[in-house]
Amino acid sequence: MSGIFGIVTNKNIDLPQTNGLRTWNENYGDCEAKVYESQQAYIGAKPELMKKSSDAKCEALIQRDRKIGAIDSVIFSDKNSSLPDEEFLFTRIESSGANSIKDINGDFAGAIWDEEKNKLLLFRDHMGVRPLFYYYDDEKIVFSSDIRGITATEGVDTAVNQDWFYKNLSGFSDLSASDTEYEHIKCVPFGGYVSFSLEGNRIVKETGHYWVPGEKKVRLKNRSEYTRELRRLVKDAVRIRALATDHKLGGELSGGLDSGVVDVLLSQIKKDCFFFSWSPKEEYLPIAEGDERLTIRDICDKAGIECNYGELSVDFDKLTLLKERNPIKGDAEYDLNIPITYAFPCYVNTAQIYEAASFMRSKGVKIIFSGHGGDEGASHRSNPYELFYNHEYYRYLRLMYSRSSISKHRIPATIGMIKENLKVAKEDLTKPFSVKEGANPLIKKSLSGKYNSAKMEPLYFAYDPVKYINGGGSRNRLDVLAFYSAYTGVRYFVPLLDYRVVDFALGIPRYLYHNWYYDRFIFREAFKDIIPHSLYKQRVKEDNSYKNLPKKEKEKAPVRYDAEDIAKAKRRYVDMLDREYWKELVDFDVLDNWVSGNVKKEDEIPIFSAIMTCIQVEQLVKKSKEV
């Protein structure tokens, strides 16, 4: 993955101000960083080569007349041009504007500075596979592939986003297409762009979209035609990505429908490919009933590929790429949590992704195919209520009637199922999504009083994929994949988020995803002949293999600590927080009571979890500046 970064100002560039910005992007790419400097602009790129051939060039920084572009790009569609991908994008935008990239199929993010017009354009691919963060105030715009490049820059306001803070700590869905945990640091919108005009002592911002998921409606003759077209699009999405590079490919084996289909299609392309699952090897954990490795084995047998597995847990000491490529040097503070030590952003989770990427990189893999995003669009894991919600009432009645086939009294049974489904929708699906009840005790009353839980958004995942995707539903995993890409030297391809696939999946009638008790039906049917029967019939992804740990491993006797040791540990965590930084958000009286053990028992863990989140948010800012 390439890193792009820069500062544009209506004053003069202070070069020492750019050190952290550049340093945090140095762990991206595999070519030498290139930088353009002028009085008003500092723009750089740390490129990654997508071809091994001797004539391959690192072209991420482009200069033409008085326009400078920093672009991270891999284009999959037929460009009908011999230009490098980055220069092709630059030329298209320069000649026809940002909206002209709507029909370019690729993963990209970029910045173009027009020195003559004093305008900066930031843009991003259709689904936001490539990250790009930005900050602006009255004097400057700062942008970076890595959010820490921005937090490391002097003069950037890193105040915490109150909306994010409340939702995150209170258990509400905190999806967002553009917000971050920092109030003034944003993401460039996927399928869109942000432009900034420097007009004297002010900076004017404009935002636009060249593509919005779900705007097209697709109508074909019958179910068979829909199925064939979905298969064609998904198959082509895998093919064009596999042909975009001559590097060794890798595939994730999760045992699920999405990655299973991607892996089988990938195996049909005659290229060097390595398949890996972060599920543990049998020598570490024997296979038991309800184990996802049974399905993984079937996938490998069907596709004629070799299954490779991970270990029982992720060992950050053993997988050293994290240390080698991180600007912060030193050992991890395991008692505090490794993301804090290395300034991991709050959104980073799933350490097994790092294990998979690191291990595959050790096997020569440069590109990893992920099945992410399928159940949001192409394979759509939905609830029957979706048909009612989208006014497909006839199809809704037929589906419920088919589910009563095992009953002697089908009509009453159908009516009963409809009532139950609509009750679930009212009480669960369409209500604000929260995994907890009430605000976290750590949150200041003056802040929590601003929020009304009834106004929180539902989680649209199961019945309105258009709102779910447009609200940022795909973003977290994509940001995590990009983050680990930088530390392992790989690049992730996500074919099920090909914009043509997403457009088609969101535009077809919703009944196509349902048949009897099976959801994701059209996707199953599209690949029925090439996937194992166990995967085709899979209604719920098999339980994670870790549930099969022997009981003695699960239930080790808890370590006992005396009250004084517990109080010292708590005080240590609380003292890591800058009270001035958190004064508008955190009730420190509650934290002091927590240290002394004067809170309700049920509040102990929520408060501890909240403190760790706060430490991570604050430490990212502090440690990003250390470099």
Side-chain angles (χ1 to χ4, degrees), residues 123-225:
F123 59 91
R124 206 161 164 219
D125 61 63
H126 294 75
M127 285 299 294
V129 177
R130 310 318 297 151
L132 188 57
F133 300 93
Y134 71 92
Y135 165 90
Y136 84 104
D137 55 30
D138 290 336
E139 296 183 354
K140 61 185 174 296
I141 309 114
V142 187
F143 64 88
S144 175
S145 297
D146 194 309
I147 194 171
R148 295 166 299 182
I150 298 176
T151 60
T153 303
E154 293 300 324
V156 167
D157 185 343
T158 57
V160 176
N161 181 337
Q162 293 189 4
D163 191 60
W164 173 89
F165 179 79
Y166 178 81
K167 289 181 179 178
N168 188 281
L169 267 60
S170 300
F172 286 101
S173 172
D174 61 344
L175 299 176
S176 173
S178 59
D179 289 343
T180 71
E181 56 268 43
Y182 304 100
E183 181 70 31
H184 304 289
I185 300 177
K186 306 291 183 182
C187 293
V188 175
F190 63 86
Y193 50 86
V194 185
S195 66
F196 299 92
S197 299
L198 279 66
E199 301 177 359
N201 292 324
R202 68 190 189 116
I203 295 176
V204 179
K205 171 191 169 185
E206 293 183 7
T207 303
H209 285 85
Y210 59 82
W211 177 78
V212 177
E215 287 192 328
K216 293 194 333 186
K217 293 298 179 185
V218 180
R219 294 294 179 261
L220 301 177
K221 289 182 179 179
N222 51 48
R223 189 186 287 266
S224 295
E225 286 197 7

Side-chain angles (χ1 to χ4, degrees), residues 566-583:
I566 292 173
K568 284 181 179 178
K570 288 180 174 181
R571 175 53 62 190
R572 181 186 178 200
Y573 296 138
V574 172
D575 286 348
M576 290 185 71
L577 299 178
D578 183 331
R579 296 193 177 220
E580 181 65 23
Y581 186 69
W582 293 103
K583 67 180 181 180

Side-chain angles (χ1 to χ4, degrees), residues 345-391:
C346 247
Y347 59 76
V348 173
N349 53 26
T350 319
Q352 288 85 353
I353 293 176
Y354 171 64
E355 177 196 27
S358 185
F359 186 75
M360 282 199 257
R361 189 73 185 101
S362 72
K363 298 297 181 181
V365 170
K366 181 70 172 176
I367 308 296
I368 300 176
F369 278 69
S370 170
H372 171 59
D375 55 6
E376 298 154 18
S379 67
H380 186 34
R381 193 190 303 272
S382 61
N383 185 283
Y385 171 70
E386 179 186 32
L387 303 186
F388 186 92
Y389 177 80
N390 284 282
H391 312 301

Side-chain angles (χ1 to χ4, degrees), residues 252-317:
E252 292 180 336
L253 284 163
S254 75
L257 188 59
D258 298 325
S259 63
V261 166
V262 169
D263 288 337
V264 173
L265 291 174
L266 191 58
S267 73
Q268 295 176 348
I269 300 169
K270 303 304 179 184
K271 296 196 72 172
D272 188 12
C273 193
F274 182 87
F275 296 90
F276 180 82
S277 172
W278 56 57
S279 298
K281 301 174 187 176
E282 287 186 58
E283 64 189 78
Y284 298 126
L285 186 63
I287 288 181
E289 184 179 358
D291 195 311
E292 82 273 12
R293 290 170 295 177
L294 295 170
T295 306
I296 292 172
R297 186 188 293 170
D298 289 344
I299 294 169
C300 291
D301 289 344
K302 183 76 174 182
I305 59 180
E306 181 183 355
C307 293
N308 297 279
Y309 298 94
E311 299 189 7
L312 201 54
S313 61
V314 180
D315 187 340
F316 281 93
D317 276 340

Side-chain angles (χ1 to χ4, degrees), residues 204 509 520 609 620:
V204 179
R520 317 174 81 182
S609 177
L620 182 139

